[in-house]
Amino acid sequence: GAYSVKVVVSNPGFRQALVTEVIERLVPDGDEPHLIRAAAVAGEILAQEFRGEDDAIFSTVSGEKVFLHVLEFGFKSLRRADLERVVGSELEGVLPIDLDEMVYAFEQIPRLPEAAVVLASPGDDEVTLVSEVQKAPVPLGLVAAPAAGMRVLTAATQRVRAEEFLQALRANGVEPRGLLAAPAPYARLADKITYSEQLILGIIDIGHMRSDVCLSTGGKPIYARSIARGGHHLTRLLSKTWNLDYRRASEAKHSDGFVVSQQYPAPSEGAARISAVLEKELMPLVREIRRTLAACRAKTGFSADKLILVGGGSRLRGLAAYLGENLQMNVELLDQETSVRLLGEAASMAGLDTCALALGAALDGSSAKPSFDLRQGDLAFKTDLSFLRTKIPAIAISLVAIMAFGVVSAMTGVSKLRSAEETLDRRIALESS
């Protein structure tokens, strides 16, 4: 993250991954690029907290470094290898990157269910999308019809960027097995928050420098976007308005920050003044979120039934109600019960609201095959077999034991065959006599 490095440790289980630890450390200020400073923090965490060689490390690539795009094809099924070539050629035509300089990943978007229907009367200029799950109309706008073939959500980035990211991590002793394109991992988190496969849940993560939006259903991302606005912009606006240094403006935002809404009116005149200032920066964010939801409807046909607000910026008092009123949607915060259910005892280490992306990546990495992994082709993770050296004696003893059991089994089989042969010889002698 732009503000801190979050690490979630999970142990894969038979049914679900068990979260055992949550770590968050701030990225220090400095003249070096942010990636170098953040990679150094990640290296310190792994060097101090983990010693095992069998740990599988997964890292997220922030959304502003990734192109997210929806592609539609006329065919309904195709082999994965063939589909990969088709997706690559299509991305080369819509992105300003040559195919040889690109790494990309993709997943098929679930087909539009019957739960979402479009109601329109002949001659009407307006179309209303009604969700059978939410039992209420969603904002008007262009809605994509069900695809004749398939739609896929793609994530792509420049190979040079991915190599720089990996090199910075390797320099600090970190070798990730996968580079998961944000904001896609939020889909795994959304699947744990709700158990309904029909519910279209949107995760909005208000971070320090950017805000991530991911809509998903059944653990599969439908649409995702990263918006270059976050808590930093609110702090900067407060600093400029009242001529405060950045640190004092940040403290004022945390202690006195408030956003007025119909549900939560201003408790004092000071809160009303702060809200008036913050709204100058929040309105562009609301506009971009509204555009994201409209783009999802226009490109996939899906519309969010509910939005969950996470991230450090979600702690701004009144923000959830403010977004809900302006977006005309149900916007909720994560409650403590959900945090305890997902994080277990680790919920006391850090709030789920600030480590949502890391938890989604941990859940994705604990699965059989993480989605939207940008370590593809030449950048694919090469398995290190050095750990076998420490197990050679045990492996040799096991092989000798297996061979010994095999010899004993063979000798027993031969003895049984000889006994059967003697019995048959006696029967033949008797019958022939």
Side-chain angles (χ1 to χ4, degrees):
Y3 182 73
S4 63
V5 174
K6 297 95 173 174
V7 176
V8 171
V9 185
S10 65
N11 288 331
F14 179 70
R15 292 184 178 273
Q16 62 181 1
L18 177 63
V19 176
T20 60
E21 195 170 0
V22 178
I23 303 170
E24 181 179 5
R25 293 187 184 177
L26 301 181
V27 178
D29 297 330
D31 297 330
E32 294 181 307
H34 173 267
L35 175 60
I36 303 300
R37 290 180 280 122
V41 175
E44 292 175 1
I45 294 176
L46 265 67
Q48 296 174 5
E49 304 292 341
F50 308 105
R51 296 284 185 262
E53 296 180 356
D54 298 333
D55 293 331
I57 303 170
F58 291 87
S59 177
T60 59
V61 182
S62 55
E64 77 271 9
K65 299 179 182 178
V66 178
F67 295 98
L68 296 165
H69 200 73
V70 176
L71 299 177
E72 184 172 346
F73 301 103
F75 44 79
K76 292 185 177 180
S77 62
L78 197 66
R79 290 191 310 168
R80 180 78 182 186
D82 297 333
L83 182 59
E84 184 174 355
R85 288 193 290 269
V86 174
V87 169
S89 61
E90 287 291 325
L91 287 177
E92 189 177 24
V94 297
L95 299 181
I97 311 175
D98 292 335
L99 187 59
D100 296 338
E101 301 174 357
M102 179 195 312
V103 289
Y104 63 92
F106 63 93
E107 293 292 337
Q108 184 175 350
I109 297 175
R111 296 189 64 83
L112 193 64
E114 298 297 331
V117 296
V118 177
L119 302 180
S121 300
D124 288 349
D125 295 330
E126 295 182 344
V127 177
T128 304
L129 181 67
V130 179
S131 169
E132 291 293 334
V133 178
Q134 194 177 356
K135 300 295 183 182
V138 300
L140 302 178
L142 183 64
V143 181
M150 69 167 65
R151 293 188 177 106
V152 296
L153 179 62
T154 64
T157 189
Q158 291 177 312
R159 182 182 299 272
V160 175
R161 283 188 172 183
E163 291 174 347
E164 291 176 352
F165 193 89
L166 290 172
Q167 184 177 359
L169 291 175
R170 289 194 190 105
N172 292 275
V174 182
E175 181 64 40
R177 290 176 179 264
L179 298 180
L180 307 183
Y186 289 107
R188 297 283 186 178
L189 173 63
D191 188 41
K192 297 298 181 181
I193 294 176
T194 174
Y195 297 104
S196 173
E197 294 186 356
Q198 294 183 344
L199 187 68
I200 312 300
L201 188 64
I203 301 291
I204 301 179
D205 190 338
I206 309 295
H208 183 59
M209 296 294 295
R210 60 187 174 273
S211 297
D212 293 332
V213 182
C214 178
L215 280 73
S216 64
T217 180
K220 299 293 184 180
I222 298 172
Y223 192 78
R225 184 191 175 199
S226 186
I227 303 171
R229 291 184 180 276
H232 162 73
H233 301 84
L234 297 175
T235 304
R236 187 178 61 182
L237 181 59
L238 292 176
S239 174
K240 181 179 179 181
T241 302
W242 281 300
N243 196 22
L244 300 173
D245 60 65
Y246 190 87
R247 182 183 61 81
R248 290 187 60 191
S250 179
E251 293 175 354
K253 181 184 68 174
H254 294 156
S255 60
D256 303 323
F258 188 85
V259 186
V260 174
S261 61
Q262 294 180 0
Q263 183 178 358
Y264 296 104
S268 63
E269 184 179 350
R273 289 198 301 269
I274 292 179
S275 177
V277 174
L278 294 177
E279 283 190 59
K280 297 178 181 179
E281 188 63 44
L282 288 175
M283 284 307 298
L285 176 61
V286 171
R287 184 169 58 250
E288 293 302 322
I289 295 176
R290 187 183 295 114
R291 288 177 177 174
T292 302
L293 299 177
C296 179
R297 291 193 297 270
K299 294 182 179 181
T300 68
F302 286 93
S303 181
D305 297 302
K306 184 169 65 172
L307 300 176
I308 300 294
L309 190 61
V310 298
S314 67
R315 297 179 178 180
L316 181 63
R317 291 177 297 169
L319 181 58
Y322 175 83
L323 292 179
E325 291 179 4
N326 283 274
L327 296 174
Q328 298 180 3
M329 293 194 62
N330 183 17
V331 180
E332 298 179 1
L333 295 171
L334 287 177
D335 53 24
Q336 184 63 23
E337 181 181 354
T338 304
S339 297
V340 173
R341 176 166 59 85
L342 296 181
L343 297 179
E345 296 180 357
S348 60
M349 303 177 186
L352 179 58
D353 54 351
T354 59
C355 66
L357 180 58
L359 177 58
L363 295 175
D364 207 3
S366 300
S367 62
K369 184 181 182 300
S371 57
F372 294 93
D373 184 2
L374 295 177
R375 291 208 68 170
Q376 303 288 338
D378 297 339
L379 299 180
F381 179 76
K382 307 299 189 298
T383 304
D384 186 8
L385 300 180
S386 60
F387 70 96
L388 291 177
R389 299 173 185 172
T390 60
K391 302 182 183 296
I392 288 179
I395 294 175
I397 294 174
S398 300
L399 290 176
V400 171
I402 292 173
M403 293 176 63
F405 283 120
V407 171
V408 172
S409 177
M411 293 177 63
T412 303
V414 171
S415 177
K416 290 181 178 180
L417 287 175
R418 287 177 178 175
S419 177
E421 184 180 14
E422 292 175 359
T423 302
L424 288 174
D425 286 342
R426 288 195 296 269
R427 287 183 61 184
I428 291 174
L430 291 173
E431 295 292 337
S432 60
S433 297

